[in-house]
Amino acid sequence: MAPKVPESVLKKQATQAKIAEEAKQASYEAKQKKRQDKKDATAAAEKYNAEYKAADEAAVANRRQAKAAGGFYVPAMPKLALIIRIRGTIGVSPKAKKIMQLFRLRQIHNATFVKLNESTIRMLRLIEPYVTYGYPSRSTVEKLVYKRGFGKLNKQRIPIADNSVIEEGVGSVGIKCCADLIHEISTVGPHFKEANNFLWPFKLTSPRGGFSNKTKLVHFLEGGEAGNRGEEINKLVKRMI
C-alpha cells in the first residue's frame, strides 16, 4: 500500500503548479505584447516617414511655384528651438539664472527643446549671452533622442534603451515609441509639453575644435558663439554629440 501523501504537501504542490501556470501565461502575454508593439512601432514610423516626405515635397513645389511666378517662397516661422548653455554660473544675473532653471539648463552644455511663442522668445533674448539656440532639423531631433536620449521615470534618469521606457513615461498620451516621440517634438504636437518634460535635458560634450575664448561672449551675428544662430545650430549639435 502506497504511503499517504500529507495534505500540506498536496496543497504546496497545487500552489506551485498554479504559480508556474500563471508565470507561463504571463510570459506568453508579454511576448505577444512585445510582438504587437514592434509591429505598431514599425507602422507608426512608416506613417510618419510618408508624412515627412509629403511635407518636404510640398515645400519644394511651393518654392518652385514662387520662383516661376517671379516671387519668393517664405516658409512658416519655426515653432521649435533647441537651446544649449555655453557659459557657467559666474556672473549670471538672478533673472537670467531663474530663466535658465525654467528651461532646465542647470549645467554647461545642457540642451533642451523649447516651444517658440511670444513669452519664450522674450525670455531667450534675456539669456542670449549665456546660451546659443536655433531651429533644429528633424534629423537633429532624431540624433539627439537616439544618441543622447534619457527619459525621466520616477524622477530618475533612465536611458531610452527600448520603447517600453517611452510607453511607461508618456504612454498615457499616446506616445509609445521613439517614432511617436520624435514626431511629437519635431512637429510641436498637442502633447509636446508631456513629451518634452519626459526627456531629460541632453548632456552634450564640448564641441570638436572647441569654443574660442575671444568669441564665446560675442553674439553669433558678430562672429561669436552666443545668441540665435538659426539653422546653423544643426552643425553645432553635430560637433557636440
Side-chain angles (χ1 to χ4, degrees), residues 117-149:
N117 53 40
E118 194 178 334
S119 59
T120 54
I121 289 170
R122 200 179 296 125
M123 285 194 284
L124 280 171
R125 286 185 184 140
L126 288 171
I127 59 169
E128 272 192 349
Y130 315 104
V131 301
T132 185
Y133 63 95
Y135 316 124
S137 64
R138 197 184 314 117
S139 171
T140 298
V141 176
E142 278 182 13
K143 283 176 186 172
L144 284 169
V145 171
Y146 283 129
K147 293 186 177 183
R148 295 293 170 117

Side-chain angles (χ1 to χ4, degrees), residues 94-105 122-124 126-127:
K95 195 170 187 179
K97 193 178 284 186
K98 181 65 179 174
I99 292 170
M100 284 195 279
Q101 283 176 359
L102 288 172
F103 286 149
R104 302 184 297 159
L105 300 170
R122 200 179 296 125
M123 285 194 284
L124 280 171
L126 288 171
I127 59 169

